[in-house]
Amino acid sequence: MAVEPRDVVQRRELLWQKHRASWKQLIVEHPLRYVFLEVTRRCNLACAYCGSSCTPKSQRDELPVSQWIDIVRQIARDFDSRKIMIAVTGGEPLLKEGVDDLFHELHAQGFGYGMVTNGYFLDVDRARKLVDAGMGSISISMDAPTEINDRLRGKGASQKVARAVEALRTAGFNGKLEIISTITKPVVPLLPQMREHVASLRIPLWRVAPVMPIGRAAARPDLVPDAADVRAILEFVRAGRRDGFTPAPEFSEEGFLGNRFEGCVRPYLCQCRAGITIAGIRSDGRIGACPELGDAFLQGDIRTERLKDVWDTRYQVLRDRSWTRKGKCAECAQYDSCQGGAMHLYPSPDGDLLRCLYWMAKEAK
């Protein structure tokens, strides 16, 4: 095994020292910078590996758009809206009755905002409405080349993505547009083909992540990448960010990945900021952080509390992560850099980490 030059090791250690110091300061200050608004759990699709187990019918009582608008105004009064990015998510946000009124209110209040969509309802008319409402970022889900994507997500899903992209161009959308791909085991060997497909849509941004073993995916081990698959995905992204071909893939946040991949597969070092700079409101009003975090990490309820009060006084379980130093993590030499990994991979503070990509990639070396 090749030994790294001493100056490379020293530069990397200095970079991590700076990163760890910045992280500690961020925890102390915990400035709110990103808020997820999960406006619905309804989705016209029922993907085989959906982490939220979404279906066409809502599984809970959901806040009406009028209440979401009141929430947005409350957040604008209590925080500086110019410093907060709002991500409107689902389910499928465009199924939410009156959601265009929410988009206009977000723009009126000065928030930068965007949404995650499957693209099914994004025709030219809808795209023009999004442009008129000042939407700045759109992430469209597409997880595989056409045949597999339609088998996993629903017939016609790929065609709808292509139509949505063209509709946005016709409408003059000039904000951030990206494809996000949840990578299942059958897709790992097809990543180069998938990249070419994204390139054919002329999308410059492509974010990938191995499917998480939560939601419906927990019952589909045949779809969840193993250690060799994780290593293959990381190597693919690492090479793809250096070869000059567009899109250059970006790996999503899921904790420390090891020195070979940190700083190479995404434009930042590992940084799960749930509860530190990121808050979230569930479709029924419960307050948490990222939508993927389990119920054990919920902090309050927007129907009876202000987000600012909850943000200022709670989230200790996400700001003091010493509880993650257990099991394999307790013996890991990289713990000070990792800090327990991504919080959405813990079912609860009492539970065990569902997977560690660092160890998986290391074992598959």
Side-chain angles (χ1 to χ4, degrees), residues 2-22:
V3 178
E4 290 184 308
R6 184 176 180 180
D7 62 325
V8 172
V9 175
Q10 289 176 333
R11 281 199 302 271
R12 184 169 62 226
E13 181 53 34
L14 287 173
L15 183 65
W16 276 104
Q17 286 178 8
K18 182 178 179 180
H19 178 69
R20 288 190 288 264
S22 174

Side-chain angles (χ1 to χ4, degrees), residues 110-132:
F111 290 101
Y113 78 100
M115 73 170 176
V116 181
T117 177
N118 61 36
Y120 253 75
F121 306 103
L122 223 172
D123 56 15
V124 174
D125 180 59
R126 172 69 78 167
R128 287 184 174 133
K129 289 179 180 179
L130 299 181
V131 171
D132 290 343

Side-chain angles (χ1 to χ4, degrees), residues 195-200 202-206 240 243-249:
R195 189 183 188 193
E196 290 178 3
H197 184 52
V198 176
S200 73
R202 293 179 291 137
I203 302 292
L205 302 173
W206 180 35
D243 63 13
F245 183 78
T246 300

